[in-house]
Amino acid sequence: MTTMIQSERRGDVLVLTLDRPDRLNAAPPEMFVALRHALEALDGARAVLIAGAGRGFCSGADVGGGALGSDDPGNATYAALTQSYNPTIAAIADLDVPVVSAVRGPAAGIGCSLALAADFCVASETAYFLQAFVNIGLVPDGGASWMLPRLIGRARASEMMLLGEKVPAAKALDWGMIHTVVADDALDAAAFALAERLAAGPTLAMGLIRRQIRGAYESDYATAMLQEAENQRRARGSADSMEGGLAFLQKRKPVFGGV
């Protein structure tokens, strides 16, 4: 299981790489379990970068002859989603640090959900995003039907999920689905530079911002403002807030410690 995910600490950034390049990083349930365990072992990292080895990010769940092969495929798929894939996507949402995904080639099915679960998705010109479930008589999963309408609106989400066609990187950027598109050979450096920039920021405040954004999808205006006030109270008492204020007064760049 551990060989499916390569974990590397580069400064304050935890780099996690899906490592089945011969299968375009098609993900059996064990890969997502390993990914979740890696995410739980941050060990002080202040940002996470998720990438795929080789020429693809993730071509979807690996259903061929593995844990999903069963005499009762419906229940086997349900178990894989509820015990492996979904808890890993939820773990990304619950992190206290920002997450960047670096996508080249396919981000399909559960791979699409994984890529878009990041706060920032940096895609290469070869990247595409795909919800092809309808083409084989299935439905989107991994949180895609919750995520996509909120990212790109009902009409475009319906286009992706009901027509099951590839969305190239340039179109995804135009739709507001991803953060930026770069040349293929610039992807690794661009994605890491963004993760490194985030890791140098006020991590405590960033974690609270992540929760505010997520909570705003599910709460009314008054509740969102109250959550902001509560988070602001916590952030205002942090060492990073004090450093930010001093740096402003002293007309210098702040040096945040993440606390």
Side-chain angles (χ1 to χ4, degrees):
M1 173 171 29
T2 55
T3 60
M4 294 185 189
I5 300 292
Q6 296 299 320
S7 177
E8 178 189 6
R9 182 69 176 269
R10 295 175 61 186
D12 287 325
V13 179
L14 177 63
V15 182
L16 301 175
T17 305
L18 313 184
D19 193 22
R20 296 183 79 206
D22 56 318
R23 299 293 303 276
L24 290 174
N25 300 310
E30 294 84 358
M31 176 186 277
F32 267 57
V33 172
L35 179 59
R36 186 166 77 251
H37 289 164
L39 289 167
E40 291 168 350
L42 280 177
D43 192 26
R46 295 171 59 186
V48 175
L49 172 60
I50 301 175
R55 57 192 180 88
F57 178 73
C58 176
S59 56
D62 186 351
V63 300
L68 298 186
S70 169
D71 292 335
D72 188 354
N75 278 334
T77 300
Y78 178 86
L81 285 168
T82 57
Q83 297 172 22
S84 174
Y85 298 112
N86 292 356
T88 300
I89 299 295
I92 293 172
D94 289 338
L95 285 176
D96 290 326
V97 300
V99 181
V100 176
S101 60
V103 178
R104 62 166 50 86
I110 198 66
C112 181
S113 294
L114 177 61
L116 299 180
D119 302 293
F120 296 91
C121 180
V122 180
S124 80
E125 293 169 336
T126 66
Y128 64 86
F129 302 83
L130 178 63
Q131 292 286 320
F133 297 95
V134 69
N135 298 331
I136 53 173
L138 294 176
V139 302
D141 57 30
S145 57
W146 184 93
M147 186 185 305
L148 284 169
R150 289 166 167 80
L151 282 174
I152 58 177
R154 177 181 173 181
R156 287 168 172 168
S158 296
E159 179 179 334
M160 279 194 76
M161 294 188 280
L162 292 176
L163 297 182
E165 298 174 349
K166 294 178 182 179
V167 176
K171 188 174 185 178
L173 180 63
D174 181 61
W175 280 3
M177 190 162 70
I178 61 176
H179 173 60
T180 193
V181 177
V182 299
D184 192 71
D185 60 2
L187 176 66
D188 297 335
F192 181 76
L194 177 57
E196 194 172 40
R197 173 182 172 183
L198 292 165
T203 315
L204 186 146
M206 287 181 173
L208 295 174
I209 291 169
R210 295 184 89 236
R211 295 183 188 283
Q212 285 180 195
I213 292 171
R214 183 182 176 193
Y217 284 137
E218 302 164 347
S219 61
D220 58 34
Y221 197 19
T223 301
M225 287 192 289
L226 179 59
Q227 186 64 61
E228 288 173 345
E230 291 174 349
N231 287 345
Q232 196 72 293
R233 174 169 56 187
R234 182 179 174 192
R236 193 64 184 87
S238 69
D240 278 346
S241 174
M242 183 176 293
E243 164 63 9
L246 285 172
F248 177 79
L249 293 173
Q250 296 169 2
K251 302 186 187 309
R252 60 173 175 82
K253 185 177 180 179
V255 179
F256 294 118
V259 292

